[in-house]
Amino acid sequence: MPSTEPEVLEVGLPAVRLSCLAWGPADGPLVVALHGFPDTARTWRHLGPHLAERGHRVVAPYLRGYAPSGLARDGYHVGALMADAVGLHSELGGDARTVLVGHDWGAITANALGAHPDSPYRRVVALAVPPLGAVRGASLRLAPRQLRMSWYTVFNQLPLLPERTVDRWLPRLWRDWSPGYDAAEDVAMVRAAWPTRDHVAAAVGYYRAIRAPWRVPPSYRAWARTLGAVPTVPLLVLHGADDGAMQPGYAEHAARNLPGTARLEMVAGAGHFLHLERPDVVNRLVAEFVTESATESAPEA
């Protein structure tokens, strides 16, 4: 049985060095797993070993700006995350079987790449955030509560305050987003990944980039043009029924606007960090989806 303790890989990309956790055989079908905010690559500590036991190679980077990965020279935004994911596919020897799994910002990245014609990923999994293009037109009745839930997106625009008060709002987000889940271990790992104010600024920088898209380098803008699109490749969307960051109603609305190659699974008894709260359910659903990819795209003998 493969070890549940991951290897540590260092992958050098043009703009940043990414430190990654890896599970499974080096020659297994590749799964790239992207964490979100406020989280780390250790968020995949249940899914990684589960897929590894089934012969997959799972590689989970700490996103740019999250230690031990490096601070990026050219900013923090979805286009950069997309470019990093594509770079990982190339550097790690990805092929047509490779699946991209993402949670939160990682899910936004996966959805955008699933819609991009130049993406090398032919299957994507999105946890906790459905494709933004499919959310349009959702009932206005959801908006008042969602605005209150999304206070942190406005707070993160403030200069310096998020960096100075991180130890107050970080545990609150985990409590609010996944009620009842004991996140003490996870919060400690996030703080270790944000050892300086520069790292906290990098993490909230993804939100600050939303208000100034003209500052995104042109090479990343080319990737980010599908940010509001709907994936054209097979897609699995998983959403916690008790998600405190994004109401499940948005995922249910999105499901009605997705193509036949996509499906939504609502996970009962889970909030925003559903893969940590209900690893039994999430592991099974993702493994089934990933195995389909490996079978359909298996190289000929």
Side-chain angles (χ1 to χ4, degrees):
M1 179 180 295
S3 172
T4 58
E5 283 303 307
E7 305 170 44
V8 177
L9 305 178
E10 299 292 330
V11 180
L13 299 179
V16 70
R17 174 192 52 78
L18 296 181
S19 184
C20 309
L21 305 182
W23 296 266
D27 60 351
L30 179 64
V31 177
V32 175
L34 306 178
H35 69 82
F37 170 91
D39 208 351
T40 73
R42 289 291 299 177
T43 202
W44 304 115
R45 60 188 179 271
H46 302 305
L47 181 63
H50 184 80
L51 295 180
E53 288 177 3
R54 286 148 183 79
H56 296 278
R57 176 65 161 178
V58 182
V59 177
Y62 287 81
L63 299 186
R64 53 168 58 202
Y66 287 71
S69 287
L71 294 168
R73 298 190 301 269
D74 55 1
Y76 306 95
H77 28 73
V78 176
L81 293 181
M82 294 170 71
D84 291 348
V86 172
L88 286 170
H89 186 284
S90 175
E91 291 293 325
L92 298 171
D95 56 27
R97 300 171 296 170
T98 302
V99 178
L100 181 61
V101 178
H103 174 254
D104 191 82
W105 277 112
I108 294 172
T109 303
N111 286 326
L113 279 171
H116 203 290
D118 296 330
S119 172
Y121 293 98
R122 294 292 170 259
R123 269 179 183 257
V124 297
V125 181
L127 283 73
V129 183
L132 300 181
V135 173
R136 293 194 188 102
S139 173
L140 292 177
R141 288 177 293 182
L142 296 171
R145 183 182 177 214
Q146 188 60 49
L147 287 171
R148 293 193 298 273
M149 292 166 65
S150 298
W151 63 269
Y152 62 94
T153 62
V154 177
F155 176 75
N156 283 341
Q157 305 302 322
L158 299 174
L160 300 179
L161 188 59
E163 290 91 327
R164 291 171 176 167
T165 60
V166 58
D167 290 314
R168 293 169 59 185
W169 57 259
L170 173 58
R172 174 184 171 179
L173 288 183
W174 278 81
R175 286 195 305 269
D176 290 350
W177 291 2
S178 284
Y181 173 70
D182 183 359
E185 179 184 6
D186 300 278
V187 169
M189 288 188 288
V190 175
R191 280 305 276 130
W194 296 348
T196 69
R197 285 188 180 179
D198 286 342
H199 290 86
V200 181
V204 302
Y206 294 100
Y207 294 93
R208 291 169 177 167
I210 296 172
R211 72 183 184 202
W214 59 87
R215 294 180 181 171
V216 176
S219 60
Y220 294 143
R221 273 184 240 158
W223 284 112
R225 65 186 174 86
T226 53
L227 178 58
V230 174
T232 56
V233 301
L235 165 69
L236 174 64
V237 179
L238 303 179
H239 206 94
D242 303 317
D243 194 316
M246 187 176 200
Q247 292 174 83
Y250 285 105
E252 292 167 341
H253 172 83
R256 295 190 287 271
N257 296 318
L258 293 174
T261 52
R263 81 175 195 267
L264 165 70
E265 294 283 352
M266 195 67 67
V267 179
H272 190 65
F273 298 95
L274 61 163
H275 52 296
L276 294 171
E277 300 167 82
R278 294 297 310 275
D280 54 334
V281 176
V282 172
N283 288 355
R284 175 178 57 80
L285 291 170
V286 175
E288 291 172 355
F289 185 79
V290 167
T291 300
E292 291 172 9
S293 176
T295 301
E296 292 175 2
S297 304
E300 294 183 6

